Amino acid sequence: MEKLQQNIEIGLIGGTGSDIALNNLKEIKVYTPFGSPSSTISIGDFKGKNVAYIPRHGQGHIIPPHNINFRANIWALKELGVKFLISPSAVGSLKKEHTKGKFILVDQYIDRTKKREDTFYEGGQLCHISQVNPYCEYLNDIFYQAGKESKLTIQKGGIYVCIEGPRFSTRAESKMFRRWEGDIVGMTTYPEVVLAAEKEICYCCIAMVTDLDVWAGKCPNCGIVEYALRCYKCGSVVDELSVNVPEVLETMTQNAENLKKLLELALEKLDTRRDCSCHHSLKDALL
Ligand SMILES: [Zn+2]
Ligand SMILES: [Zn+2]
């Protein structure tokens, strides 16, 4: 790798619609002990700040969630000097009030993935990283302020149920996630979040609601209700609603401008010299 002249303090792992226009853009290749990141990394300048961008699903959106090399992505960003990592993620809603287009700044997750490499510590040096508050409060705060100033529908805090994918959930699973008080369901925050913690990087997940997953139905009298053959309120026949790929893509496209606005305003506010407790997460974690 060509030696960079300066540290890149801000990382962005994103998908469709989450790119921002970087000045002095260049593409670099980073080699890691864990193989290749999702793609070459775009680095450039944004309003006086250095930003590194990785498309999570690769260039041309070809890597499915369960095959993303999360360790290589996080390792590469750390190598570049990233201290603040921002990660937009398309999610399904598990609650009626989380309507399409809403942004949720995640503060907790439930891990339902099954076969992902989720630690840098494979033996020798042991690490039991805390995940009691896995997402950076400072980043959530500035994104919340930016969202309010941009008049977006945005909520601070929410539980992200991360499933393995690439399939969507069954209705039984989706209803179970609701009983667990999950707010949203997606396929990518885990293990990005914990790997960032192991590398002492501030991490925030900007979840964008694209659909109602598969728990919901539409009653002609009562609107959106939890699906059953008959509405539990009025007894009418309920129409099935269920997420599909065109619906997700359509909402993402509609919401791309809002996400861009949010990213631009929040990055302006981000003080990269700030010390954060996330930067010391290994302090009491190593054995
Ligand atoms: Zn932090
Ligand atoms: Zn009804």
Side-chain angles (χ1 to χ4, degrees), residues 119-128 285-287:
T119 180
F120 290 108
Y121 294 88
E122 295 287 16
Q125 173 82 77
L126 268 59
C127 174
H128 299 287
L286 298 175
L287 188 86

Side-chain angles (χ1 to χ4, degrees), residues 83-84 135-139 200-203 274-279:
K83 294 201 280 187
F84 302 90
Y135 297 89
C136 177
E137 256 175 68
Y138 167 63
L139 288 179
E200 301 192 311
I201 299 172
C202 292
Y203 178 86
R274 189 179 187 278
D275 189 38
C276 187
S277 58
C278 313
H279 300 151

Side-chain angles (χ1 to χ4, degrees), residues 58 68 80 99 142 158-159 163 194 229 241 269-270 273 280:
I68 293 167
L80 294 173
T99 48
I142 59 172
I159 300 174
I163 60 172
V194 63
L229 289 176
L241 292 175
K269 293 176 186 293
L270 204 165
R273 288 157 308 176
H280 309 281

